[in-house]
Amino acid sequence: MPELTLESIARAVTETRVYRSIVRRGLAATNRNRSLAVFGNFFLHIHPVKVNVRAIAFTRTFYLGGLAGGCYLILVVTGIFLMFYYHPSVPRAYDDMKDLQFVVYMGPFLRNVHRWAAHAMVALVLAHMARVFFAGAYRPPREFNWVIGVLLLLVTILLSYTGYLLPWDQLAYWGVTVGTNMADAVPGLGAQIKFLLLGGQAVNENALLRFYVLHCVVLPLFLTILASVHIWRVRKDGGIYLPERPDHRTPTHTSSDEAA
Amino acid sequence: MPLLDDLTVPLSDEERQRRALLQAIGAGALAAAAIGTGATAIRYLWPEVLFEPDTRFRIGRPDDMPVGTLAVLPAQKIFVVREPAGVYAMSAVCTHLGCLVQYEREQKRLLCPCHGSRFSPDGHVTQGPAPRPLPRLQVSLERGVLVVDTAKVVAPDAVLKV
């Protein structure tokens, strides 16, 4: 009888027909097989098979873009959970929020994770933008990706803002009153933009439903599409920006390497 | 630039065991986290408060119902019948697949519009796919007012004497 180790179990699983139909390869730890594992996996293919050591040094990027993306993932999951208890209607919205806070099992946890991830995402996106700016990574050939990044910042802030109205408390109500009055100040079309945003003249039932649909469907859709293009373009522009010469922060080369 | 690759580095048995142990701990931790998250998610989705009407409600005084009437209360999904012997309440939900049974006053029969089940006015199945008679529900007299509880099914011949 063969020895029952973690490796033998893994080997038995990876040799089944079902596993091979999904993953298409075994456990063989060769460089070729490792590359194929990344190429053939939808979730892993986002990252290149091989990256420059300098590009993945923490102090190069502080992983700000990836962390912002991670926050977005957390926000989508916790947001979907919150949607199971929240009705976007004037008589129910505030009470549903209070129920989530005081009655629903794990409700406060999910609400707080959603809130903190939202704050963190805005901060991380801004920090990411500053990092890219100071590294000079917006320069050709990456100008277009910078523009997509600016749009992503805008959508992130709009998501933050539309989520603000949903608890339907005093802060939300006046926040949206002030925000839509700012849209009202647009020259020429201000009144029409405000009317369209609120779905009426007042911050009321229609405005709540509109902000809910924007927050839960329209803006996440835009963000997902833009973020996909953003990440794809990083690859097409030759990976993340690296200065010509290695700088003092990422000592990946040593003099002996140079000599070799 | 050296290629970072540990494939060619020979491993000692001790190192191999260490890696196997760490792998097992990692896999166990991931499995525990996945099970915990799944269980918590299901528990979260289990509502603590229901926004549903009370199953107990008042339907009026027995004197307001002449003997021989069958009253239809569609909002509460019940029939109330006044017999010489007393009063009983009956579910108006078809025992087949839950549609609302209609009272055809002229023919003095109950008809389910979904799949054609017919019931006699006392709730017995006369035709169609319904497997059981319409269940009788608990009726009580509280301070002279009839109270029905749709959550409590009583005997098929139960009648509240009034």
Side-chain angles (χ1 to χ4, degrees):
Chain A
M1 190 186 156
E3 200 187 347
L4 203 66
T5 63
L6 207 61
E7 199 179 337
S8 74
I9 295 167
R11 213 164 279 284
V13 169
T14 56
E15 273 161 16
T16 60
R17 197 175 158 186
V18 174
Y19 183 88
R20 282 303 174 97
S21 75
I22 301 166
V23 182
R24 296 189 192 286
R25 69 192 59 78
L27 272 185
T30 61
N31 267 331
R32 187 184 130 77
N33 209 31
R34 285 171 161 184
S35 301
L36 286 172
V38 174
F39 284 139
N41 186 302
F42 176 79
F43 298 100
L44 295 181
H45 91 282
I46 293 164
H47 223 260
V49 169
K50 287 190 177 168
V51 287
N52 193 323
V53 175
R54 289 169 60 210
I56 52 171
F58 175 68
T59 48
R60 170 76 52 202
T61 61
F62 306 102
Y63 306 159
L64 293 167
L67 289 171
C71 280
Y72 178 60
L73 204 68
I74 291 171
L75 286 163
V76 169
V77 173
T78 53
I80 288 170
F81 273 107
L82 295 175
M83 283 171 81
F84 278 109
Y85 280 106
Y86 177 81
H87 301 73
S89 66
V90 171
R92 291 294 293 278
Y94 181 76
D95 288 345
D96 284 346
M97 183 269 291
K98 285 289 178 193
D99 272 1
L100 275 163
Q101 201 66 33
F102 294 106
V103 179
V104 177
Y105 178 79
M106 278 286 182
F109 176 75
L110 278 162
R111 210 168 104 79
N112 291 342
V113 169
H114 196 76
R115 181 196 160 96
W116 284 108
H119 283 312
M121 184 170 162
V122 174
L124 285 164
V125 166
L126 287 168
H128 174 59
M129 192 181 207
R131 205 285 303 172
V132 167
F133 178 79
F134 287 121
Y138 56 86
R139 289 173 297 189
R142 298 182 174 81
E143 328 92 294
F144 182 58
N145 221 9
W146 170 267
V147 174
I148 294 173
V150 172
L151 292 176
L152 278 166
L153 172 69
L154 192 71
V155 174
T156 303
I157 289 168
L158 285 174
L159 270 164
S160 216
Y161 178 68
T162 50
Y164 203 69
L165 178 66
L166 304 185
W168 202 246
D169 53 9
Q170 284 293 310
L171 194 65
Y173 183 86
W174 295 109
V176 172
T177 302
V178 169
T180 49
N181 276 327
M182 284 161 75
D184 195 21
V186 172
L189 286 170
Q192 283 86 341
I193 293 173
K194 185 189 172 189
F195 186 73
L196 210 59
L197 269 175
L198 293 179
Q201 306 289 0
V203 181
N204 213 320
E205 194 79 69
N206 278 358
L208 180 56
L209 188 59
R210 274 174 196 225
F211 274 61
Y212 176 75
V213 174
L214 285 173
H215 186 75
C216 301
V217 182
V218 179
L219 292 170
L221 205 63
F222 275 117
L223 195 105
T224 304
I225 293 167
L226 285 170
S228 305
V229 177
H230 197 62
I231 296 164
W232 181 78
R233 275 232 68 96
V234 172
R235 294 283 293 281
K236 297 299 154 184
D237 293 339
I240 71 152
Y241 169 74
L242 292 171
E244 286 300 317
R245 282 169 286 113
D247 59 23
H248 63 282
R249 286 178 301 153
T250 50
T252 54
H253 281 57
T254 61
S255 53
S256 62
D257 286 335
E258 301 282 5
Chain B
M1 193 64 139
L3 187 65
L4 286 187
D5 197 338
D6 59 5
L7 291 182
T8 52
V9 180
L11 294 178
S12 64
D13 278 351
E14 197 183 339
E15 178 62 11
R16 223 176 273 284
Q17 279 177 359
R18 192 182 74 91
R19 290 188 182 194
L21 177 68
L22 288 175
Q23 272 177 359
I25 292 170
L30 272 179
I35 292 166
T37 307
T40 306
I42 291 168
R43 180 65 188 83
Y44 166 85
L45 292 172
W46 205 267
E48 302 276 359
V49 181
L50 298 180
F51 297 91
E52 287 168 5
D54 200 349
T55 60
R56 264 171 60 88
F57 47 85
R58 285 177 290 189
I59 56 168
R61 293 174 186 282
D63 300 342
D64 299 339
M65 286 188 78
V67 172
T69 39
L70 187 152
V72 183
L73 280 68
Q76 289 88 353
K77 297 186 178 177
I78 59 162
F79 299 120
V80 183
V81 180
R82 177 76 163 97
E83 282 184 338
V87 177
Y88 65 87
M90 183 162 73
S91 168
V93 178
C94 183
T95 53
H96 178 219
L97 287 170
C99 290
L100 199 57
V101 174
Q102 311 284 316
Y103 181 45
E104 295 183 310
R105 209 167 286 278
E106 287 77 24
Q107 290 98 326
K108 285 215 176 277
R109 67 178 182 191
L110 300 166
L111 169 71
C112 179
C114 288
H115 307 100
S117 292
R118 292 183 203 282
F119 303 85
S120 59
D122 64 352
H124 287 99
V125 184
T126 54
Q127 196 183 319
R132 289 179 304 278
L134 296 174
R136 292 202 183 179
L137 306 169
Q138 190 191 68
V139 188
S140 51
L141 202 58
E142 291 179 17
R143 294 181 198 169
V145 180
L146 292 166
V147 175
V148 174
D149 190 344
T150 56
K152 287 180 180 146
V153 175
V154 294
D157 54 354
V159 174
L160 178 74
K161 289 188 174 59
V162 287

mmCIF file of all heavy atoms in Angstrom, chain A residues 177-201:
data_model
loop_
_atom_site.group_PDB
_atom_site.id
_atom_site.type_symbol
_atom_site.label_atom_id
_atom_site.label_comp_id
_atom_site.label_asym_id
_atom_site.label_seq_id
_atom_site.Cartn_x
_atom_site.Cartn_y
_atom_site.Cartn_z
ATOM 1 N N THR A 177 -28.081 66.681 -0.582
ATOM 2 C CA THR A 177 -28.620 68.008 -0.881
ATOM 3 C C THR A 177 -27.498 68.932 -1.346
ATOM 4 O O THR A 177 -27.594 69.594 -2.383
ATOM 5 C CB THR A 177 -29.300 68.596 0.371
ATOM 6 O OG1 THR A 177 -30.323 67.691 0.791
ATOM 7 C CG2 THR A 177 -29.895 69.961 0.095
ATOM 8 N N VAL A 178 -26.397 68.943 -0.601
ATOM 9 C CA VAL A 178 -25.262 69.815 -0.938
ATOM 10 C C VAL A 178 -24.643 69.380 -2.268
ATOM 11 O O VAL A 178 -24.394 70.197 -3.150
ATOM 12 C CB VAL A 178 -24.213 69.773 0.199
ATOM 13 C CG1 VAL A 178 -22.918 70.443 -0.236
ATOM 14 C CG2 VAL A 178 -24.755 70.438 1.450
ATOM 15 N N GLY A 179 -24.429 68.086 -2.441
ATOM 16 C CA GLY A 179 -23.777 67.579 -3.652
ATOM 17 C C GLY A 179 -24.559 67.883 -4.913
ATOM 18 O O GLY A 179 -23.989 68.305 -5.928
ATOM 19 N N THR A 180 -25.873 67.664 -4.855
ATOM 20 C CA THR A 180 -26.665 67.896 -6.060
ATOM 21 C C THR A 180 -26.834 69.393 -6.317
ATOM 22 O O THR A 180 -27.015 69.815 -7.452
ATOM 23 C CB THR A 180 -28.038 67.211 -5.960
ATOM 24 O OG1 THR A 180 -28.642 67.532 -4.716
ATOM 25 C CG2 THR A 180 -27.912 65.702 -6.085
ATOM 26 N N ASN A 181 -26.747 70.231 -5.251
ATOM 27 C CA ASN A 181 -26.763 71.677 -5.475
ATOM 28 C C ASN A 181 -25.472 72.142 -6.126
ATOM 29 O O ASN A 181 -25.457 73.140 -6.852
ATOM 30 C CB ASN A 181 -27.004 72.430 -4.161
ATOM 31 C CG ASN A 181 -28.485 72.517 -3.845
ATOM 32 O OD1 ASN A 181 -29.315 72.609 -4.770
ATOM 33 N ND2 ASN A 181 -28.834 72.468 -2.577
ATOM 34 N N MET A 182 -24.375 71.389 -5.896
ATOM 35 C CA MET A 182 -23.123 71.695 -6.591
ATOM 36 C C MET A 182 -23.287 71.392 -8.080
ATOM 37 O O MET A 182 -22.818 72.150 -8.932
ATOM 38 C CB MET A 182 -21.972 70.886 -6.000
ATOM 39 C CG MET A 182 -21.491 71.438 -4.676
ATOM 40 S SD MET A 182 -20.558 70.236 -3.716
ATOM 41 C CE MET A 182 -19.014 70.225 -4.578
ATOM 42 N N ALA A 183 -23.988 70.278 -8.407
ATOM 43 C CA ALA A 183 -24.261 69.973 -9.811
ATOM 44 C C ALA A 183 -25.145 71.055 -10.413
ATOM 45 O O ALA A 183 -25.021 71.394 -11.597
ATOM 46 C CB ALA A 183 -24.939 68.607 -9.927
ATOM 47 N N ASP A 184 -26.015 71.621 -9.582
ATOM 48 C CA ASP A 184 -26.918 72.690 -10.008
ATOM 49 C C ASP A 184 -26.127 73.917 -10.474
ATOM 50 O O ASP A 184 -26.595 74.707 -11.300
ATOM 51 C CB ASP A 184 -27.816 73.055 -8.816
ATOM 52 C CG ASP A 184 -29.011 73.880 -9.241
ATOM 53 O OD1 ASP A 184 -29.358 73.838 -10.449
ATOM 54 O OD2 ASP A 184 -29.592 74.554 -8.383
ATOM 55 N N ALA A 185 -24.905 74.066 -9.952
ATOM 56 C CA ALA A 185 -24.099 75.248 -10.259
ATOM 57 C C ALA A 185 -23.389 75.139 -11.603
ATOM 58 O O ALA A 185 -22.723 76.083 -12.027
ATOM 59 C CB ALA A 185 -23.084 75.481 -9.147
ATOM 60 N N VAL A 186 -23.509 74.000 -12.283
ATOM 61 C CA VAL A 186 -22.904 73.865 -13.613
ATOM 62 C C VAL A 186 -23.529 74.903 -14.540
ATOM 63 O O VAL A 186 -24.744 75.024 -14.586
ATOM 64 C CB VAL A 186 -23.137 72.436 -14.180
ATOM 65 C CG1 VAL A 186 -22.684 72.345 -15.633
ATOM 66 C CG2 VAL A 186 -22.414 71.405 -13.337
ATOM 67 N N PRO A 187 -22.698 75.672 -15.285
ATOM 68 C CA PRO A 187 -23.273 76.712 -16.144
ATOM 69 C C PRO A 187 -24.177 76.113 -17.219
ATOM 70 O O PRO A 187 -23.846 75.089 -17.809
ATOM 71 C CB PRO A 187 -22.051 77.367 -16.791
ATOM 72 C CG PRO A 187 -20.890 76.947 -15.967
ATOM 73 C CD PRO A 187 -21.241 75.640 -15.359
ATOM 74 N N GLY A 188 -25.330 76.740 -17.423
ATOM 75 C CA GLY A 188 -26.231 76.331 -18.507
ATOM 76 C C GLY A 188 -27.091 75.131 -18.189
ATOM 77 O O GLY A 188 -28.310 75.231 -18.107
ATOM 78 N N LEU A 189 -26.467 73.954 -17.969
ATOM 79 C CA LEU A 189 -27.238 72.717 -17.818
ATOM 80 C C LEU A 189 -27.439 72.282 -16.368
ATOM 81 O O LEU A 189 -27.969 71.201 -16.114
ATOM 82 C CB LEU A 189 -26.546 71.575 -18.582
ATOM 83 C CG LEU A 189 -26.675 71.629 -20.110
ATOM 84 C CD1 LEU A 189 -25.753 70.583 -20.743
ATOM 85 C CD2 LEU A 189 -28.107 71.372 -20.544
ATOM 86 N N GLY A 190 -27.001 73.118 -15.411
ATOM 87 C CA GLY A 190 -27.020 72.737 -14.000
ATOM 88 C C GLY A 190 -28.357 72.207 -13.515
ATOM 89 O O GLY A 190 -28.425 71.130 -12.915
ATOM 90 N N ALA A 191 -29.435 72.946 -13.798
ATOM 91 C CA ALA A 191 -30.759 72.558 -13.292
ATOM 92 C C ALA A 191 -31.171 71.199 -13.845
ATOM 93 O O ALA A 191 -31.732 70.369 -13.126
ATOM 94 C CB ALA A 191 -31.787 73.621 -13.672
ATOM 95 N N GLN A 192 -30.871 70.989 -15.136
ATOM 96 C CA GLN A 192 -31.245 69.724 -15.764
ATOM 97 C C GLN A 192 -30.454 68.564 -15.169
ATOM 98 O O GLN A 192 -30.991 67.480 -14.953
ATOM 99 C CB GLN A 192 -31.016 69.776 -17.280
ATOM 100 C CG GLN A 192 -32.066 70.544 -18.042
ATOM 101 C CD GLN A 192 -31.766 72.030 -18.098
ATOM 102 O OE1 GLN A 192 -30.989 72.564 -17.318
ATOM 103 N NE2 GLN A 192 -32.402 72.717 -19.048
ATOM 104 N N ILE A 193 -29.143 68.766 -14.931
ATOM 105 C CA ILE A 193 -28.303 67.707 -14.358
ATOM 106 C C ILE A 193 -28.820 67.341 -12.975
ATOM 107 O O ILE A 193 -28.961 66.163 -12.631
ATOM 108 C CB ILE A 193 -26.821 68.157 -14.292
ATOM 109 C CG1 ILE A 193 -26.251 68.312 -15.707
ATOM 110 C CG2 ILE A 193 -25.988 67.152 -13.496
ATOM 111 C CD1 ILE A 193 -24.869 68.913 -15.753
ATOM 112 N N LYS A 194 -29.152 68.347 -12.178
ATOM 113 C CA LYS A 194 -29.664 68.093 -10.823
ATOM 114 C C LYS A 194 -30.980 67.323 -10.898
ATOM 115 O O LYS A 194 -31.190 66.354 -10.155
ATOM 116 C CB LYS A 194 -29.856 69.421 -10.095
ATOM 117 C CG LYS A 194 -30.279 69.233 -8.649
ATOM 118 C CD LYS A 194 -30.668 70.544 -8.002
ATOM 119 C CE LYS A 194 -31.273 70.300 -6.629
ATOM 120 N NZ LYS A 194 -31.849 71.517 -6.054
ATOM 121 N N PHE A 195 -31.855 67.748 -11.813
ATOM 122 C CA PHE A 195 -33.157 67.081 -11.959
ATOM 123 C C PHE A 195 -32.975 65.614 -12.322
ATOM 124 O O PHE A 195 -33.652 64.723 -11.804
ATOM 125 C CB PHE A 195 -33.975 67.816 -13.035
ATOM 126 C CG PHE A 195 -35.384 67.316 -13.167
ATOM 127 C CD1 PHE A 195 -36.337 67.603 -12.203
ATOM 128 C CD2 PHE A 195 -35.763 66.541 -14.255
ATOM 129 C CE1 PHE A 195 -37.635 67.145 -12.317
ATOM 130 C CE2 PHE A 195 -37.057 66.072 -14.382
ATOM 131 C CZ PHE A 195 -38.001 66.378 -13.402
ATOM 132 N N LEU A 196 -32.019 65.373 -13.235
ATOM 133 C CA LEU A 196 -31.759 64.009 -13.695
ATOM 134 C C LEU A 196 -31.151 63.160 -12.578
ATOM 135 O O LEU A 196 -31.501 61.993 -12.409
ATOM 136 C CB LEU A 196 -30.795 64.079 -14.885
ATOM 137 C CG LEU A 196 -30.898 62.991 -15.949
ATOM 138 C CD1 LEU A 196 -32.283 62.978 -16.564
ATOM 139 C CD2 LEU A 196 -29.850 63.222 -17.025
ATOM 140 N N LEU A 197 -30.237 63.753 -11.817
ATOM 141 C CA LEU A 197 -29.586 63.023 -10.726
ATOM 142 C C LEU A 197 -30.588 62.621 -9.654
ATOM 143 O O LEU A 197 -30.566 61.493 -9.156
ATOM 144 C CB LEU A 197 -28.499 63.892 -10.083
ATOM 145 C CG LEU A 197 -27.081 63.790 -10.631
ATOM 146 C CD1 LEU A 197 -26.193 64.812 -9.931
ATOM 147 C CD2 LEU A 197 -26.518 62.399 -10.429
ATOM 148 N N LEU A 198 -31.472 63.559 -9.284
ATOM 149 C CA LEU A 198 -32.416 63.310 -8.198
ATOM 150 C C LEU A 198 -33.664 62.592 -8.691
ATOM 151 O O LEU A 198 -34.407 62.031 -7.894
ATOM 152 C CB LEU A 198 -32.828 64.625 -7.533
ATOM 153 C CG LEU A 198 -31.739 65.359 -6.761
ATOM 154 C CD1 LEU A 198 -32.292 66.651 -6.190
ATOM 155 C CD2 LEU A 198 -31.179 64.496 -5.647
ATOM 156 N N GLY A 199 -33.906 62.616 -9.995
ATOM 157 C CA GLY A 199 -35.168 62.084 -10.502
ATOM 158 C C GLY A 199 -36.327 62.900 -9.981
ATOM 159 O O GLY A 199 -37.406 62.364 -9.723
ATOM 160 N N GLY A 200 -36.104 64.207 -9.803
ATOM 161 C CA GLY A 200 -37.147 65.093 -9.292
ATOM 162 C C GLY A 200 -36.530 66.378 -8.780
ATOM 163 O O GLY A 200 -35.349 66.644 -9.010
ATOM 164 N N GLN A 201 -37.349 67.163 -8.067
ATOM 165 C CA GLN A 201 -36.848 68.445 -7.555
ATOM 166 C C GLN A 201 -36.255 68.289 -6.155
ATOM 167 O O GLN A 201 -35.442 69.111 -5.741
ATOM 168 C CB GLN A 201 -37.988 69.484 -7.506
ATOM 169 C CG GLN A 201 -38.727 69.675 -8.818
ATOM 170 C CD GLN A 201 -37.887 70.385 -9.875
ATOM 171 O OE1 GLN A 201 -36.738 70.732 -9.630
ATOM 172 N NE2 GLN A 201 -38.461 70.590 -11.052
#
